[in-house]
Amino acid sequence: MIETKNGPIYEPTTSVSESVFNSLKKYQETLGGSRAYEDMKDIYETLEYDFGQNKRHVG
């Protein structure tokens, strides 16, 4: 989990979003709060939602 001023970012639940999460974690100190960081966080959350929903419907 990554603590941010806008709330926590939770560990990935799918392998698809793992690399984005790792980048968020790596660059939090230098980019946290910037527009680029927020955009990357939005991408991560979208991937988590989209692939998490898809995972529930498979099998």
Side-chain angles (χ1 to χ4, degrees):
M1 179 171 65
I2 303 169
E3 286 291 338
T4 69
K5 66 179 182 177
N6 296 326
I9 302 171
Y10 295 100
E11 299 279 334
T13 57
T14 66
S15 60
V16 174
S17 56
E18 191 170 346
S19 64
V20 179
F21 178 82
N22 290 338
S23 294
L24 286 167
K25 198 173 192 178
K26 181 178 179 179
Y27 295 112
Q28 179 189 16
E29 281 293 314
T30 55
L31 296 177
S34 72
R35 186 69 239 159
Y37 191 84
E38 291 301 313
D39 287 348
M40 193 164 48
K41 183 173 93 65
D42 290 345
I43 291 168
Y44 171 75
E45 290 172 344
T46 300
L47 285 171
E48 276 291 288
Y49 179 80
D50 288 348
F51 283 94
Q53 291 293 318
N54 209 12
K55 195 175 188 180
R56 290 185 201 139
H57 297 289
V58 174

